[in-house]
Amino acid sequence: MKKIAASIALISIVTISLPGYAAKSVNDTTGLTKTGVVSAANAQTIDELSDQLSIKADKQGSPYYKILSTSGKNKIHGVAALYK
């Protein structure tokens, strides 16, 4: 019984801690095909902007994205190209 409880606990921990298959930011797009463009706005940090763009790339079915531009003072806005 203890082995079953330990197994269930281990499976729960592994399942919770596994990251999703988030799109990855790339700099070199050699060999990749551009599939579209997305934008994000109102981020507090570059990391937050990158996360927003990654989520949008995932929703579009693109495993990769390249940030093309960023702007803003108090809030950061950006545009990224999507690639497969």
Side-chain angles (χ1 to χ4, degrees):
M1 195 64 148
K2 289 181 181 181
K3 288 184 181 182
I4 293 173
S7 295
I8 291 171
L10 179 61
I11 290 170
S12 298
I13 290 169
V14 169
T15 303
I16 291 170
S17 64
L18 288 176
Y21 292 100
K24 295 180 183 178
S25 177
V26 295
N27 290 320
D28 182 11
T29 58
T30 305
L32 299 176
T33 303
K34 186 176 176 180
T35 59
V37 177
V38 293
S39 63
N42 298 319
Q44 297 288 331
T45 65
I46 292 291
D47 286 339
E48 184 181 331
L49 177 68
S50 184
D51 290 344
Q52 289 177 12
L53 293 168
S54 176
I55 290 167
K56 288 189 175 191
D58 281 340
K59 288 181 181 179
Q60 297 285 330
S62 294
Y64 307 104
Y65 67 98
K66 180 177 181 178
I67 296 176
L68 302 175
S69 67
T70 60
S71 64
K73 291 184 180 184
N74 295 329
K75 301 284 185 168
I76 303 169
H77 314 286
V79 177
L82 305 180
Y83 293 91
K84 283 191 176 182

